[in-house]
Amino acid sequence: MTTALSVDREPDATGDRPRPAATARTWLARAGGQNLALIGAMALVLALFGSLNPNYLSWDNIQVIAEAVTISGLLAVVQTVVIICGALDISVGSQAGLASVTSAMVFTATGSNSLLGIGAAIAVGAVIGTLNGAVIIYGRVNATIATLAGLAAYKGIAQLISNGAAQGYVLNDSLFVFLSRGKIAGLPVMVWLLLLVAAAVHVLLKYTDIGRNIFAIGGNDTAARLAGINLNKYLIAVYALSGMVAAAAGVLLTARTGSGQPVSGSEGLELQSITAAALGGCALKGGRGGIGGTLLAVALLGALQNGLTVQGINAFWQNVAQGALLVTAVIIQQRRTGERAVGLPA
Amino acid sequence: MTAPSAAASGAGLTAEAITKRFGPVQALRDVTLHFPPGQVTALMGENGAGKSTLLRILTGDHQPTEGRVLLDGQALGLDSPIDARRAGIRIIPQEPEIIPHVSVAENVYAGSLPRRAGRRLDRAELRRRITADLERLGFDTVLDPDLLGSGLTAAQRQLVEILRALTGDTAARAIAFDEPTSSLSDHEVDALFALIGRLRDAGIAVIYVSHRMKEIFRLADRIAVLRDGTVAGTVDARTTSEGELVRLMVGRDLSALFARQHVATDRVVLRVDNLTTHDVHDVSLEVRAGEVVALAGLIGAGRSELALALAGDTPVRSGTIRVDGSVVRLRGPRDAIRCGIGLAPEERKAQALFLQRTIRDNTSLVSLGRLRRWRFVNRTREKALAQEYADRLRVRAPSIEAEVRTLSGGNQQKVVLARWLALGPALLILDEPTRGVDIGAKAEIYQIIADLARQGTAILVISSELPEVLGLADRILVMQNGRITGRLDQSEATEEAILALAMADDLTPDLPYETATAPRTGTDPAPGGTR
């Protein structure tokens, strides 16, 4: 960005505009207070657990953390897009479960065709995502309620078609093995996938008119409509995207565990994804947020969870910690908006 | 209702040296006004003169930046509307707040309902109280306490607010009415005035905000006029004249604001024939290139609804819209924008702006299609565009990267205009373009409108400020109850002529909650939850 904003313009009658100083300060401002706070928290977590257990900071453990957060990370990335729209998708975990079962069952039914299995899972994700969007738009159902219904229904479908049991075995297939254990340039393939999706969504949000319109819809849907943005189209597309990315997460779940999992491994991912997005600075009212913050929050949550596990802290406490984190993140957000504290929270 | 001794000096409600700033906007400057008990003091002033802000400070909804509020010479620390209520200061808001699914009785005492042990509602006591209060105030024949909030007419809704103000633990000492008659019929206005007379006789300080001269002369003892946030004068209602009041309200030579040539051409940009929507009936009009047409009328006359229909946001039931001669079917605002119709809506914060986004984002939004290659927005061109229009419209901000919420009302409005100017529409609809805008920005917005017209844009302006309508427009269309009731040329238009047409006939006055004549289908969103 070499063009200075107003430097070469003739002096304005309204007074001088401050000249943008292209220094560390603007860089910091661009990174945002929220992200700095996350980096600080991350440093704290790493220092704490690192001092308690020297193996915590080893390259091996860091890879374990990175792999562990891929699936919830994918969901958090796409949840970020949904939240920026001013909506919420609490059915992402169930969608991932349904996709996981689908991928394994189609893989088995087609005589170990992994591409067909993965393709079918993604297609299912696209369909149920679109269905979510259609229920919200054409049924005029509140997004939280619609996807809460989806949370139950999609989980039920996954259990029905699988009889509630893990399906098939996929780790005899080279593609699934590559997905679960492969490495490119020293980093696990799963982590690369997360980074790839995150980068693509980041570019979509930041550099395209589609992203601008998504922010506009979440910021003020009436104004967005009057500015000629087709809300219905955008919302359905965003939910379809959410379904497809959730399905990709489901495929990774199949690859990691070796078989299609209707429930285990995907339950509770909606909470993790929403927590990460909120911690990462997404305004739950919509219109504000970004992928960078969400990724940082995903990493922070993963580091925390791994540290607690390494220290032998009861997993039940980790649930308590996660709930507390979500509420704390939102309280901090609300404090920062500086709105008058009257009426019911939006 | 105790009558305080009016003889005591300083009795009544006093605003003392009140200044109120909202960020960069100074809404009130050193306002000192006294509202004596047993008198009706009318509060007048143009839109944006500071009347609402003053009322909000007197009733504890806003806190003054400087100055204080006194009652009978005692300073009150009003931190909230509850404090003001305890002190005996009440307001009848313009838009009554009614809980839809509970009875009138429960609406009146909401927050302090009588109860029995175990917090159960004491229905017998509630009934006894509402009956007694209705009788005491003389409403027993007009208001059934068992009606549900959602079934009330505008007048009845107002009665509920009045009942709220006049009941409760502390007696009312001062009551403010904020344009109470805007949704009442003549007969209901008579009843309201009789009530206000009784309040005055009971020694209450009545504050009456209205634009309607006739009412004010009928009702008020004293008239206080606000102008641009200061007190322009306080006069005795018996000795003053309409002319004096107008001079106090305006206080400046308006003609200088509207120095513009008339540049209308013969090319018809917009032609509407017999347009009917849910709220607009059989409207026909034309706007030519370079012409400024104003839509005048009272609030609720259907002007904004017409604007939204032309912007494609509300479905057309019958009639045609032609742009540049060809019939267009608008299925959404997107279609209207494609046809070159832009709308700067009435509520800029709620309907137009993205307050947390930058000036650049807000300006470029509808022009992104032009600024992108594939789907990538060209930042350099976007910045250049936003900067160009920010400079041209003199948006006062540190840079185009400033968030719009940090700007003053006038500058926010300029950002809305910049968005449409950047697109270059054939027809620009401006709904109340100078509402809540200070006088300096107003003049600039008038200049922008004049420039646009000179460049051949067709402009449809909706304004409730008559001087603005007269100063800007080549032609004036007056609306009432969703219909056009008059057409005036600039040469023949006067404030009186417009007002006469705006209040022309005795069709049922515009009562949104009584219009049972317009059949509501199940899919129509019923305003205020009347179902």
Side-chain angles (χ1 to χ4, degrees):
Chain A
M1 249 164 271
T2 50
T3 49
L5 285 182
S6 53
V7 179
D8 52 352
R9 279 172 198 281
E10 52 210 57
D12 194 311
T14 62
D16 45 341
R17 298 198 179 86
R19 181 187 291 249
T23 58
R25 205 165 356 125
T26 50
W27 186 85
L28 281 178
R30 210 170 296 154
Q34 182 104 19
N35 289 353
L36 290 181
L38 284 174
I39 292 170
M42 185 75 163
L44 215 67
V45 166
L46 293 181
L48 175 69
F49 291 113
S51 65
L52 288 171
N53 185 335
N55 283 333
Y56 180 75
L57 290 177
S58 70
W59 179 237
D60 278 347
N61 195 47
I62 286 173
Q63 285 198 38
V64 168
I65 295 176
E67 274 190 53
V69 300
T70 337
I71 290 174
S72 65
L74 278 174
L75 298 184
V77 164
V78 78
Q79 191 75 255
T80 301
V81 183
V82 179
I83 289 178
I84 288 173
C85 268
L88 210 56
D89 188 349
I90 36 186
S91 68
V92 285
S94 296
Q95 295 184 47
L98 180 54
S100 171
V101 173
T102 307
S103 67
M105 289 180 75
V106 172
F107 171 78
T108 312
T110 55
S112 302
N113 188 330
S114 52
L115 280 178
L116 270 184
I118 294 171
I122 305 282
V124 165
V127 169
I128 55 181
T130 310
L131 180 66
N132 274 342
V135 167
I136 292 165
I137 293 293
Y138 298 111
R140 316 272 332 137
V141 181
N142 166 299
T144 310
I145 299 299
T147 55
L148 181 63
L151 169 87
Y154 306 143
K155 187 199 285 182
I157 295 173
Q159 287 166 325
L160 274 176
I161 59 176
S162 66
N163 266 326
Q167 291 294 307
Y169 181 71
V170 298
L171 291 183
N172 48 16
D173 178 88
S174 58
L175 181 57
F176 275 112
V177 170
F178 175 70
L179 282 178
S180 70
R181 301 197 193 130
K183 287 196 175 183
I184 299 171
L187 266 184
V189 171
M190 291 179 70
V191 176
W192 278 113
L193 264 176
L194 170 61
L195 293 178
L196 196 75
V197 171
V201 173
H202 178 74
V203 168
L204 178 84
L205 285 179
K206 282 289 267 202
Y207 299 103
T208 69
D209 63 324
I210 300 173
R212 295 299 181 76
N213 291 345
I214 286 175
F215 275 102
I217 290 169
N220 183 343
D221 59 334
T222 307
R225 192 184 73 227
L226 288 177
I229 298 171
N230 187 336
L231 298 189
N232 296 2
K233 197 171 87 180
Y234 268 87
L235 232 60
I236 290 177
V238 162
Y239 274 96
L241 176 74
S242 171
M244 286 192 287
V245 174
V251 169
L252 291 188
L253 183 66
T254 305
R256 265 192 89 181
T257 58
S259 49
Q261 305 287 347
V263 176
S264 109
S266 57
E267 211 166 31
L269 287 181
E270 58 284 336
L271 174 63
Q272 285 185 30
S273 66
I274 294 168
T275 306
L279 264 183
C282 288
L284 290 180
K285 285 179 205 149
R288 195 161 231 189
I291 295 301
T294 298
L295 277 189
L296 274 173
V298 164
L300 175 65
L301 287 174
L304 194 65
Q305 196 164 22
N306 178 278
L308 292 172
T309 311
V310 168
Q311 289 303 312
I313 311 270
N314 189 328
F316 302 153
W317 276 113
Q318 296 184 15
N319 277 336
V320 177
Q322 193 153 47
L325 261 178
L326 175 57
V327 170
T328 314
V330 176
I331 290 175
I332 292 171
Q333 250 183 37
Q334 295 284 28
R335 287 287 147 94
R336 281 198 178 167
T337 59
E339 280 168 20
R340 283 180 76 192
V342 292
L344 289 179
Chain B
M1 240 173 284
T2 52
S5 70
S9 68
L13 187 64
T14 305
E16 189 183 271
I18 285 182
T19 293
K20 177 69 182 175
R21 285 185 211 96
F22 296 102
V25 182
Q26 185 146 24
L28 294 174
R29 196 167 7 170
D30 198 23
V31 168
T32 298
L33 274 178
H34 180 56
F35 303 98
Q39 288 197 25
V40 175
T41 308
L43 196 55
M44 294 191 81
E46 286 190 302
N47 290 342
K51 302 183 302 278
S52 322
T53 310
L54 182 61
L55 280 193
R56 287 181 164 215
I57 287 174
L58 291 174
T59 54
D61 203 20
H62 283 332
Q63 280 67 51
T65 314
E66 286 159 35
R68 51 188 192 154
V69 178
L70 301 99
L71 188 63
D72 296 343
Q74 299 275 309
L76 303 172
L78 300 178
D79 290 328
S80 72
I82 299 170
D83 291 346
R85 193 177 161 82
R86 286 214 185 97
I89 304 170
R90 310 287 154 83
I91 182 165
I92 315 297
Q94 207 171 349
E95 295 293 332
E97 299 282 346
I98 303 292
I99 312 166
H101 301 299
V102 308
S103 70
V104 163
E106 284 174 71
N107 257 299
V108 168
Y109 305 108
S112 58
L113 289 169
R115 57 191 189 224
R116 294 189 286 168
R119 305 209 59 143
R120 281 173 306 154
L121 177 64
D122 187 344
R123 288 192 185 278
E125 169 65 13
L126 183 69
R127 156 83 37 195
R128 200 192 59 69
R129 257 199 232 178
I130 190 77
T131 316
D133 279 332
L134 282 173
E135 211 160 299
R136 177 169 63 92
L137 298 164
F139 294 162
D140 44 344
T141 52
V142 287
L143 193 59
D144 176 356
D146 293 325
L147 282 177
L148 286 188
S150 52
L152 299 181
T153 65
Q156 289 172 324
R157 292 159 73 86
Q158 210 151 28
L159 283 185
V160 170
E161 283 285 4
I162 293 171
L163 276 164
R164 282 179 184 159
L166 298 178
T167 57
D169 300 336
T170 53
R173 308 291 310 283
I175 299 183
F177 291 85
D178 190 359
E179 302 203 34
T181 56
S182 54
S183 53
L184 298 187
S185 66
D186 286 351
H187 157 75
E188 289 161 341
V189 169
D190 287 341
L192 177 70
F193 283 10
L195 172 74
I196 292 178
R198 274 190 285 141
L199 295 176
R200 176 186 53 202
D201 298 341
I204 291 175
V206 178
I207 305 171
Y208 188 85
V209 177
S210 178
H211 286 298
R212 302 187 177 174
M213 294 274 187
K214 226 167 47 181
E215 287 178 4
I216 282 175
F217 278 108
R218 192 172 145 196
L219 193 63
D221 301 302
R222 301 159 66 245
I223 302 168
V225 180
L226 289 180
R227 180 174 74 221
D228 297 338
T230 59
V231 180
T234 306
V235 294
D236 189 321
R238 280 163 307 188
T239 57
T240 187
S241 66
E242 283 197 21
E244 184 182 8
L245 290 177
V246 168
R247 215 165 32 249
L248 282 172
M249 278 194 283
V250 178
R252 58 180 177 268
D253 188 9
L254 278 172
S255 55
L257 274 179
F258 302 106
R260 81 174 203 89
Q261 314 112 333
H262 297 275
V263 289
T265 64
D266 287 337
R267 188 165 63 85
V268 176
V269 173
L270 175 78
R271 180 181 163 147
V272 176
D273 289 299
N274 308 101
L275 182 76
T276 297
T277 71
H278 183 273
D279 305 291
V280 174
H281 310 289
D282 200 23
V283 162
S284 302
L285 59 90
E286 278 183 1
V287 189
R288 293 157 209 277
E291 190 182 32
V292 180
V293 174
L295 279 176
L298 299 178
I299 288 164
R303 296 169 299 159
S304 298
E305 289 76 7
L306 175 59
L308 284 174
L310 294 178
D313 198 47
T314 43
V316 171
R317 287 187 176 167
S318 62
T320 54
I321 300 172
R322 285 191 181 82
V323 177
D324 284 328
S326 43
V327 176
V328 295
R329 176 157 294 133
L330 307 174
R331 284 155 307 173
R334 198 178 178 74
D335 288 346
I337 292 168
R338 282 211 190 101
C339 295
I341 301 175
L343 166 68
E346 187 178 12
E347 303 279 342
R348 58 179 166 265
K349 283 188 187 178
Q351 297 179 300
L353 289 170
F354 303 91
L355 293 170
Q356 304 194 352
R357 311 288 292 172
T358 61
I359 296 175
R360 169 176 57 77
D361 270 334
N362 273 280
T363 305
S364 65
L365 189 69
V366 292
S367 303
L368 287 177
R370 212 147 47 78
L371 296 169
R372 70 184 190 204
R373 175 180 288 180
W374 294 4
R375 307 228 53 139
F376 288 86
V377 178
N378 183 329
R379 291 263 178 142
T380 317
R381 287 179 53 203
E382 185 195 13
K383 277 185 184 168
L385 181 88
Q387 190 69 58
E388 179 190 340
Y389 284 94
D391 287 346
R392 205 188 279 182
L393 303 188
R394 297 177 179 278
V395 177
R396 282 173 194 76
S399 86
I400 56 168
E401 300 300 320
E403 286 181 20
V404 166
R405 68 184 163 87
T406 62
L407 307 183
S408 69
N411 283 304
Q412 289 183 344
Q413 184 66 22
K414 288 185 200 166
V415 172
V416 176
L417 293 178
R419 177 187 296 165
W420 292 112
L421 264 54
L423 189 71
L427 169 75
L428 187 56
I429 306 170
L430 303 167
D431 195 349
E432 302 285 359
T434 63
R435 174 178 291 178
V437 160
D438 64 84
I439 187 76
K442 244 183 203 181
E444 289 178 338
I445 289 171
Y446 297 150
Q447 190 57 50
I448 293 165
I449 294 173
D451 288 347
L452 275 176
R454 207 170 41 238
Q455 290 156 19
T457 310
I459 295 169
L460 189 60
V461 182
I462 296 172
S463 173
S464 298
E465 293 184 42
L466 290 178
E468 186 168 294
V469 167
L470 289 170
L472 278 174
D474 297 314
R475 280 189 303 125
I476 296 161
L477 308 178
V478 186
M479 284 188 78
Q480 185 187 17
N481 292 321
R483 295 170 192 280
I484 292 184
T485 51
R487 294 160 198 270
L488 297 167
D489 243 22
Q490 205 242 356
S491 51
E492 56 183 356
T494 59
E495 293 204 18
E496 290 73 23
I498 295 173
L499 269 179
L501 287 167
M503 301 187 281
D505 39 32
D506 29 311
L507 293 168
T508 19
D510 188 47
L511 297 177
Y513 296 92
E514 278 189 340
T515 45
T517 44
R520 292 219 162 97
T521 64
T523 51
D524 279 326
T530 51
R531 295 211 299 160

